């Protein structure tokens, strides 16, 4: 089984360029500044199968939302920078109300302007956390009381909020990691961390799961309630690009799909068939079948137990 630990760069090679070579197909990679603190020159375009960088994040600047105009007077939308606005005690991205989910299985609540610090390119610091300004696929759509759509945003749990930054090319990083952006590829972890320096305490487990400082993460999202010593990906140490829809992990009792707990699944009997299972979309727990962590109403035939051959007794 192949290990997914990152190899070390050749002596004298710029780490960021090496990161781009190791993770070909990654949408964004970052570089360390030069010794003087000035940004380095942009790297040469990658060749081969590497995907082009996505278009820069569009910060939605507005002049009014409904009957509220943008300004600094009482009752107006106060600009916070980078397309975010304070609407009284709430924060909007453009005209869209943005929400957070600070507690597990609780309704989302608005961000408050007091602890809100836009960083550019859609990222912002909120208290001791880092958020991305667009909702990720795993969050359900929400609405305001008046029926207008609202968006539940997702934390980058792995990020160090105090040192997190983005450069002019929208490449995110903190003192410990570069964050490779895969938000345009729903089948992959939204953000993948690559260690800066020796990556002490960081271990890739496979299929997008990593262990860092005694916790388990999928990409940059943490898994709640996991028994860390017994955790492992269901498919083992495969690179995340080879796991298809089977980004499952389990500990001694529970199962997760990406960072989400798969309710009702039992770790001991959970498996992913590899035969006749395109893109590894179907997983099984006994006779039940799952796709993307959700149980199928009608079990998939892949999960039906094989019929035992009938042995006729001689008379």
């Amino acid at each position: 089984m192949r290990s997914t630990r990152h190899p070390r760069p050749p002596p004298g090679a710029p780490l960021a360029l090496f990161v781009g070579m190791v993770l070909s197909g990654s949408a964004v990679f970052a570089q360390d500044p030069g010794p003087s603190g000035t940004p380095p020159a942009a790297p040469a375009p990658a060749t081969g199968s590497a995907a082009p960088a996505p278009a820069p994040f569009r910060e939605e600047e507005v002049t009014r939302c409904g009957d509220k105009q943008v300004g600094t007077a009482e009752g107006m939308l106060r600009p916070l920078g980078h397309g975010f606005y304070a609407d009284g005690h709430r924060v909007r991205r453009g005209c869209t109300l943005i929400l957070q989910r600070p507690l597990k299985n609780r309704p989302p609540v608005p961000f408050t302007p007091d602890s809100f610090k836009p960083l550019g390119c859609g990222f912002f610091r909120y208290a001791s956390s880092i958020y991305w300004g667009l909702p990720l696929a795993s969050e359900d759509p929400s609405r305001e009381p008046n029926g207008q759509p609202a968006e539940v945003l997702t934390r980058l749990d792995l990020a160090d909020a105090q040192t997190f930054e983005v450069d002019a090319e929208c490449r995110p990083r903190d003192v410990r990691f570069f964050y490779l952006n895969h938000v345009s590829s729903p089948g992959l972890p939204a953000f993948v961390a690559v260690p800066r320096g020796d990556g002490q305490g960081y271990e890739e487990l496979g299929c997008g799961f990593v262990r860092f400082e005694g916790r388990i993460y999928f990409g940059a999202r943490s898994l709640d309630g996991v028994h860390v010593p017994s955790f492992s990906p269901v498919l083992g140490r495969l690179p995340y690009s080879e796991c298809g829809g089977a980004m499952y992990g389990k500990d001694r009792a529970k199962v997760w799909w990406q960072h989400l707990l798969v309710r009702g699944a039992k770790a001991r009997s959970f498996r992913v068939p590899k035969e006749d299972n395109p893109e590894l979309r179907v997983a099984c727990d006994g006779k039940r079948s799952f796709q993307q962590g959700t149980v199928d109403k009608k079990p998939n035939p892949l999960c039906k137990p094989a019929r035992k051959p009938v042995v006729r007794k001689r008379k």
Side-chain angles (χ1 to χ4, degrees):
M1 192 67 70
R2 200 167 62 176
S3 171
T4 57
R5 286 180 183 269
H6 292 300
R8 295 289 173 239
L15 178 58
L17 183 58
F18 179 73
V19 168
M21 293 187 295
V22 170
L23 297 178
S24 61
S26 300
V28 177
F29 60 92
Q31 288 185 306
D32 274 320
S36 63
T38 57
T47 58
S49 61
F57 181 88
R58 292 186 178 181
E59 295 168 338
E60 186 182 357
E61 302 287 349
V62 298
T63 57
R64 65 182 302 136
C65 293
D67 59 352
K68 287 191 175 183
Q69 292 185 333
V70 174
T72 56
E74 186 177 354
M76 301 180 77
L77 294 174
R78 177 167 55 89
L80 298 174
H82 298 287
F84 293 97
Y85 300 85
D87 180 9
H89 297 293
R90 308 182 302 178
V91 175
R92 294 182 180 271
R93 184 179 61 84
C95 290
T96 302
L97 181 67
I98 56 175
L99 306 171
Q100 57 168 321
R101 198 184 300 275
L103 297 175
K104 183 179 178 182
N105 299 327
R106 296 290 182 89
V109 297
F111 293 91
T112 58
D114 294 344
S115 300
F116 193 92
K117 175 64 176 177
L119 302 173
C121 303
F123 295 97
F124 60 89
R125 182 182 296 115
Y126 187 73
S128 59
S129 299
I130 296 294
Y131 286 80
W132 167 245
L134 291 178
L136 301 184
S138 60
E139 293 292 352
D140 297 328
S142 297
R143 291 190 175 273
E144 296 188 55
N146 62 6
Q148 292 296 315
E151 294 179 343
V152 182
L153 306 189
T154 307
R155 289 192 310 270
L156 276 67
D157 297 317
L158 189 58
D160 178 66
Q162 296 304 313
T163 61
F164 187 90
E165 61 183 0
V166 290
D167 66 9
E169 300 299 324
C170 291
R171 297 174 296 194
R173 60 191 178 185
D174 61 25
V175 71
R176 303 177 302 193
F177 300 105
F178 299 112
Y179 294 93
L180 306 184
N181 178 343
H182 291 298
V183 294
S184 60
S185 303
L188 300 178
F191 291 93
V192 175
V194 176
R196 303 173 73 168
D198 61 8
Q200 188 173 3
Y202 180 88
E203 181 185 5
E204 289 197 62
L205 303 175
C207 292
F209 295 99
V210 300
R211 181 186 290 115
F212 182 69
E213 293 186 344
R215 299 183 67 183
I216 301 294
Y217 298 84
F218 177 79
R221 298 294 314 276
S222 65
L223 276 60
D224 292 331
V226 63
H227 181 254
V228 176
S230 64
F231 182 87
S232 64
V234 171
L235 292 182
R237 288 185 177 270
L238 284 181
Y240 59 82
S241 59
E242 297 180 15
C243 293
M247 292 185 173
Y248 290 97
K250 61 182 181 180
D251 64 10
R252 59 189 178 184
K254 294 172 285 189
V255 179
W256 285 261
W257 181 74
Q258 298 191 356
H259 71 283
L260 302 172
L261 183 66
V262 181
R263 298 187 179 281
K266 298 178 181 178
R268 186 174 182 179
S269 53
F270 195 88
R271 63 188 179 90
V272 176
K274 295 183 179 179
E275 299 293 333
D276 301 320
N277 190 7
E279 299 179 13
L280 302 175
R281 289 194 301 265
V282 178
C284 303
D285 182 10
K287 297 180 181 179
R288 294 187 302 166
S289 62
F290 295 79
Q291 296 190 49
Q292 294 187 335
T294 301
V295 65
D296 292 326
K297 292 182 179 179
K298 183 179 180 180
N300 192 288
L302 278 176
C303 299
K304 291 182 179 179
R307 292 185 178 181
K308 296 182 179 179
V310 178
V311 179
R312 295 175 179 258
K313 295 183 178 180
R314 292 182 180 181
K315 294 183 178 180

